[in-house]
Structures are given as structure tokens and as C-alpha cells.
Amino acid sequence: MTIFSSHRRKEIYQNLTEKQLDILVIGGGITGAGISLDAASRGLRTGTIEMNDFAAGTSSRSTKLVHGGLRYLKQFEVKMVAEVGKERAIVYENGPHVTTPEWMMLPFHKGGNFGPLTTNIGLRVYDYLAGVKVDEHRKMFSPEVALEREPLIKKEGLKGAGYYVEYKTDDARLTIEVMKKAVQCGAHVINYAKAVEFLYNDRKKIIGAVVEDQLTGEKMKVFAKKVINAGGPWVDDLREIDGSKKGKTLHLTKGVHLVFSQKQFPLQQAIYFDAPDGRMIFAIPRNNKTYVGTTDTTFEGNIEHPTMTEEDRDYLLNAINYMFPTTSMKVEDVESSWAGIRPLIAEEGKDPNEISRKDEVFISDSGLLSMAGGKLTGYRKMAEHVVDKVVDQLKAEENILYSKSETEHLPISGGEVGGADKFKEFKKLKVAEAVGVGFSEEAAELLVQRYGSNTDVLLSYFESKKEVAKKANIDPFVFAELIYGMEQELVCKPVDFFIRRTGALYFEIGWVHDHKDAVTDYMADSFKWSDEQKRAYTAELDKLLHEAVIPEQ
């Protein structure tokens, strides 16, 4: 039975605890979501727990690009470029509503990292290795054409530009859509459920975990034949609980992004550019905003709560004013920001920017499988790799056979539109339907791009819940998304809705201020929160709103 409603959390817990699972996945980021989908789609009895909200860590705080792996070419990681290029195409095909081609311009200046000859050769090799479609093959621009494409870039010393395709995404929405598909395939998935202790048999082999509901404090035991640690930045914490944190460990780095209004930073074209210190940074237009990032510094603070510092902010502002000198961006121009943690596998003697994003599976003496490293683009292949290991173990131990991975050609939730080539026509049709029932053209575009083939469900909520929305004093468009989130995306708190399901705290912070009180009031009534709970959840959102603009001192 498919259950992903916050009103039915008890049933999800019952499904997790009433019978031994084949696999218990710990972690609800993109890695855990990918593993859950791969396992459930093969017929494995799968359970997944996440101690915060889905994608609350790294998976909602990336540069929001499904990279093709160009940076790995510079490090001569040829095999990785080829694999990442192939995986990017699969991610796009299976979820075209959350992944969109984005032409990226790479300007080169005198004394910079890239020059016309090396860029031309590099992008040509990249096209070949990454299997780039013919109509997305790289182009080379003269300085004049480069300035025509983006008049804001620095004119002094400009020698031209390369032009190639990246794929932009909504990382949190991608994660939630993969997880929803896993649930549709039979996985039992719950957020705000923390593994606080592991369970072992008399041979000291792992057989499950003690799980604590972070909303109620209730503890329960979840038993599984295999346990997969997909905790992202928390992978080593879980290995420590298992007593198996030895050998290779994680090296955590922090990346910060800043968001600006297009009025203040009217970028026309996505740019990948050299910062003054030689690092490479992205500046990307998104709807009516421009966002810029990322930094890359070693992180040793609170993993659960990374924040922007003045140093991070000033570094990015300096980089912007270096490459886009006429913008004269100032502190007060920053509308919002986010900070995320990258869990890399430590490599002695290397700077954070040079550490490989390769993934590895560590298997402890107890049998705990830990998925470490990796990147957003490769989530599906990483999942296939680790579930293959589990299937091999189950075959050897119990002579149980499972099918091979089916996710290469499996659309994620919202992606059931007949493939990437058909999404444009699908979108046109659904936008017209949404406009027909009262959405503005802009709101309709955002709706279809966010929910894909699930748009019909949103439209039905919009039409059937207008009176309830009016009574709750919530805009009916907002209310449709809120009800969908609570009923079908396990939204439990205001932060889940305003950050992970809509991305609004990052890209429409004014919208959050406009709607947060009415949304919180409705959720409090619907979930029967105590006054204390309501105060806590309100304060949680208010704190994040503050930190998005005001840096850590």
C-alpha cells in the first residue's frame, strides 16, 4: 500500500516494524532515495528512515546542477566523465520536470584558468566522453559574441568563451520525487525518524536499528536483513555507533550560495567563471532571481546547521564584482543564501577543491554497508552499485534471487510524461489547463515544472479546496501545494513546505514572509499541535529566514 501522508505516520511505522525488512536504508537524501527506489523496484522489502526531513542536508543545498562532469576532465578522470555524462542523460529522461538543459558560458580572460585552444579541445573531448547530444555540442564564441550573450561579464582581457550544456535541477524536488517513486514501488518511508542504536544478533551481525520518532520521542525496533548507511555527512557518525569508523573517513567541506533579485543582478546567461583566487564559480539565472556559488572550505561545525559567514558572503561578492564589474553588488543586495555540506572521502594532502567526488561502499565486520562520497548526478548508479552488493549477499546467504536494477528506464514520480522529448508538449497542455482554472501564466509554468505528471492532483486540490482555503485565509494556489505536501509528500513542519517542497526560502523569501503565519496556523490545527510545538516550529522557520540574510558572526 502506498502511504506518504503526514496524517498516516502511525501506519508507516507499523509497516516498518511489523515484519522483518530485506533492507533498512538510513538517510533520506538523494543517495538514500536512490537506494530505496532501486531496492523497492527489484521487489526487496524496503524501509527508509530520515532523522530530519527528506533532502534537509546536502540534497537541498547544492549548486542545483546535474553536472556533466566537465571539472573531472581537468583532473584526467576520464572514466568518471563518461559515466557522469551518461547518468546525467538518464536523470533528465526519467524526470524532465525537475531537470532542464541550461546552456553555460565559460568566458576566458587573459591570465585565467582557460584559454581558447585548451577550452575548445577540452569541450570537444567532453562532448565525446559524456555522450552529449549533437544539438548540445559545444560552441566557441569570439569576445564580441560572448559580450552579446552576457553584457555584464568583464570586458578587460576577454579572449572569447566556450559554450556548453549543463542541466539545472531542483535538488530537493528531485530527491522527493525519487523517494515518492520508491514508495509507489512498495518502500515504507518516514522522515523525522532517527536511528539511535543498532541491533545485533548473537554473532554480532547487524539486524536492524532502534528508531526514535523525532516528533513524539517514541522509540521502536526495526529489523532488517541488511542495513545501509546513506547518511551523507553523518555517515561516519553512524559508523561510530557501529564501532566501525576506521580506515577511510569523510572530509566535510562547506559550500555557500547567494541569491539576488534580477533587478539588482540582471544576468541573462548562466556563467561558469574564474574567481580572483582561481577557483571556478557559477552564476545562474533562475526565474526572476540570480544565484551565485559556491565556496569550498573545510567544515568542522554543526553538520545539521551550516550557515553563511561574513567571510563566505564577502568572498562571493568579491568574485561577482570581479567578473561582473558594472553590477557593483553590495551586502544589502543579498536576498537569501544557503550553506551546504559536501561529504567527501578524505584524501591526505589535497585541498577540498581537489578531492575526488568518487563514491565508495564500506562494509563493516557487523555487515553494515556505508555509502560514502559521490555526487548528485551519480545517485542512480551509486544506488545500483550498493543494492547489487546486497542482492549478491542475499543470494549467497539465503539463495534468494532478485532481478537486476530497473531504474535506468524508470521514470520518477512526476516524470511519467512519455520521456524528455515529450515534456515540452505536456507542459504546454497542462499550463493551458492551469490557466483555464485561474492560475496566471507564470504560476502555471512553475506549477507544471515543479510537479510534472502530478499536476492534475494539484489542480484537483485547487478546485475542490477553495472554500477550505478561504476559511483558512490562505491563497488557494498556496493551499493546493500545502495540502498536496501534507497528503502526498510527508510535509510535517512549515520548514518542510517552505524549503524542501517549494524552495521558496531560497528563491522567493518574500513569499515565505507573506504566507508563513496562515500556513503555520493551518498546519497547527490540522496536526493538533500543542502551543509549545507551534512555537517551536514557528521559531525554527523564523531562525532560518534570519540566517538566510544575516551571516553568522
Side-chain angles (χ1 to χ4, degrees):
M1 187 195 302
T2 296
I3 306 175
F4 214 43
S5 167
S6 288
H7 293 288
R8 300 174 66 187
R9 289 177 63 86
K10 283 186 178 178
E11 289 177 66
I12 300 173
Y13 275 123
Q14 188 177 341
N15 288 333
L16 282 167
T17 56
E18 70 181 359
K19 187 178 175 184
Q20 184 189 37
L21 303 167
D22 292 317
I23 292 181
L24 172 63
V25 183
I26 302 174
I30 189 61
T31 303
I35 294 168
S36 303
L37 175 55
D38 191 287
S41 63
R42 297 195 205 197
L44 288 146
R45 183 173 166 79
T46 305
T48 304
I49 58 173
E50 161 57 48
M51 69 175 183
N52 293 309
D53 184 29
F54 306 114
T58 304
S59 298
S60 61
R61 300 162 180 263
S62 71
T63 306
K64 305 186 188 300
L65 291 172
V66 181
H67 286 299
L70 180 62
R71 71 189 297 274
Y72 305 117
L73 191 61
K74 200 175 176 187
Q75 298 169 355
F76 300 104
E77 295 189 45
V78 173
K79 185 180 177 185
M80 185 174 277
V81 174
E83 184 170 292
V84 165
K86 181 186 176 188
E87 285 303 308
R88 181 180 71 171
I90 293 169
V91 173
Y92 176 46
E93 183 65 24
N94 289 337
H97 63 306
V98 285
T99 309
T100 313
E102 176 87 14
W103 281 96
M104 188 75 60
M105 194 165 81
L106 175 62
F108 24 85
H109 291 80
K110 188 175 180 181
N113 279 330
F114 294 89
L117 180 62
T118 55
T119 301
N120 193 4
I121 293 169
L123 288 175
R124 183 174 295 204
V125 172
Y126 170 73
D127 283 344
Y128 171 74
L129 289 173
V132 176
K133 299 177 190 174
V134 174
D135 61 348
E136 294 180 357
H137 276 191
R138 61 89 186 88
K139 299 175 176 67
M140 300 301 293
F141 293 154
S142 66
E144 293 75 23
V145 173
L147 285 166
E148 189 180 314
R149 292 274 178 176
E150 185 45 73
L152 293 178
I153 59 173
K154 185 173 66 170
K155 298 178 179 66
E156 183 186 344
L158 182 64
K159 298 167 73 176
Y163 199 52
Y164 70 103
V165 170
E166 284 281 16
Y167 281 59
K168 64 182 178 183
T169 191
D170 183 327
D171 48 5
R173 291 283 335 155
L174 174 63
T175 301
I176 199 73
E177 299 289 37
V178 173
M179 197 68 90
K180 278 157 65 182
K181 189 67 175 184
V183 172
Q184 288 169 22
C185 290
H188 306 298
V189 179
I190 192 87
N191 53 359
Y192 296 105
K194 184 177 183 178
V196 293
E197 183 184 337
F198 287 129
L199 300 169
Y200 301 90
N201 63 17
D202 53 10
R203 292 178 291 116
K204 297 184 178 179
K205 295 297 181 183
I206 195 162
I207 55 169
V210 176
V211 177
E212 182 178 67
D213 187 326
Q214 299 299 283
L215 303 181
T216 66
E218 185 183 353
K219 288 183 180 179
M220 61 217 79
K221 292 179 179 179
V222 177
F223 292 94
K225 295 175 185 176
K226 301 294 172 185
V227 179
I228 300 179
N229 168 12
W234 290 270
V235 158
D236 278 353
D237 290 10
L238 288 164
R239 291 170 76 201
E240 206 158 307
I241 293 173
D242 181 55
S244 58
K245 186 186 167 185
K246 51 191 175 185
K248 291 185 178 180
T249 57
L250 294 184
H251 176 91
L252 304 181
T253 71
K254 184 179 75 169
V256 170
H257 295 77
L258 305 181
V259 182
F260 306 88
S261 162
Q262 272 273 321
K263 288 180 182 176
Q264 296 296 329
F265 193 170
L267 193 71
Q268 299 176 20
Q269 162 70 57
I271 304 288
Y272 187 36
F273 67 95
D274 298 60
D277 64 358
R279 283 197 71 253
M280 298 300 294
I281 291 178
F282 290 97
I284 302 171
R286 173 172 165 152
N287 300 327
N288 58 348
K289 308 294 177 185
T290 295
Y291 70 98
V292 181
T294 179
T295 59
D296 201 358
T297 53
T298 295
F299 183 75
E300 294 175 345
N302 179 0
I303 301 174
E304 202 166 331
H305 196 67
T307 53
M308 168 185 70
T309 64
E310 285 187 15
E311 189 178 358
D312 298 325
R313 181 197 64 194
D314 294 347
Y315 172 85
L316 288 172
L317 286 172
N318 184 42
I320 293 165
N321 290 327
Y322 169 76
M323 182 51 62
F324 309 99
T326 59
T327 61
S328 302
M329 302 305 293
K330 303 179 291 297
V331 167
E332 50 268 34
D333 295 323
V334 178
E335 278 198 0
S336 188
S337 70
W338 69 86
I341 304 298
R342 298 184 202 89
L344 310 176
I345 299 171
E347 293 184 44
E348 204 171 322
K350 284 196 175 184
D351 291 330
N353 198 41
E354 297 174 329
I355 295 176
S356 171
R357 266 58 171 175
K358 285 179 182 174
D359 57 274
E360 287 190 45
V361 178
F362 306 142
I363 304 178
S364 75
D365 292 342
S366 72
L368 176 68
L369 293 96
S370 296
M371 188 90 234
K375 61 199 299 297
L376 178 71
T377 312
Y379 85 85
R380 190 203 67 85
K381 197 68 179 177
M382 288 161 56
E384 180 183 320
H385 177 52
V386 73
V387 177
D388 278 346
K389 286 185 180 295
V390 168
V391 165
D392 287 344
Q393 289 178 357
L394 291 174
K395 181 182 176 184
E397 293 165 8
E398 302 180 358
N399 200 27
I400 299 175
L401 291 176
Y402 289 95
S403 62
K404 291 186 177 180
S405 177
E406 300 177 0
T407 56
E408 183 174 345
H409 303 292
L410 185 65
I412 61 176
S413 180
E416 295 98 341
V417 296
D421 290 342
K422 295 184 179 177
F423 181 66
K424 192 174 181 181
E425 193 57 40
F426 171 88
K427 184 177 178 182
K428 184 179 176 183
L429 179 69
K430 291 301 170 186
V431 165
E433 285 183 25
V435 169
V437 298
F439 281 72
S440 68
E441 188 84 26
E442 183 183 9
E445 288 261 348
L446 285 171
L447 183 80
V448 181
Q449 196 70 56
R450 184 173 292 161
Y451 297 103
S453 59
N454 293 316
T455 297
D456 285 346
V457 185
L458 272 294
L459 293 180
S460 71
Y461 281 140
F462 171 72
E463 296 209 80
S464 65
K465 303 284 186 182
K466 283 181 181 176
E467 286 305 311
V468 187
K470 186 178 179 182
K471 189 177 178 182
N473 198 29
I474 300 177
D475 181 300
F477 307 112
V478 177
F479 195 68
E481 286 196 279
L482 177 62
I483 293 298
Y484 182 76
M486 292 164 65
E487 291 288 352
Q488 305 205 27
E489 294 191 338
L490 221 54
V491 164
C492 296
K493 300 181 184 181
V495 289
D496 305 339
F497 179 67
F498 286 114
I499 302 179
R500 269 80 62 176
R501 305 305 182 276
T502 63
L505 188 137
Y506 301 146
F507 293 106
E508 290 293 340
I509 199 165
W511 186 87
V512 181
H513 284 290
D514 290 344
H515 298 291
K516 68 184 180 73
D517 292 340
V519 164
T520 302
D521 287 345
Y522 180 80
M523 292 181 74
D525 289 341
S526 184
F527 292 140
K528 305 290 188 290
W529 290 341
S530 66
D531 290 344
E532 186 182 349
Q533 282 176 307
K534 186 177 178 181
R535 279 195 298 272
Y537 298 155
T538 299
E540 181 182 28
L541 178 59
D542 286 343
K543 184 180 182 186
L544 293 173
L545 282 164
H546 174 80
E547 289 172 348
V549 182
I550 307 298
E552 177 190 333
Q553 297 299 313

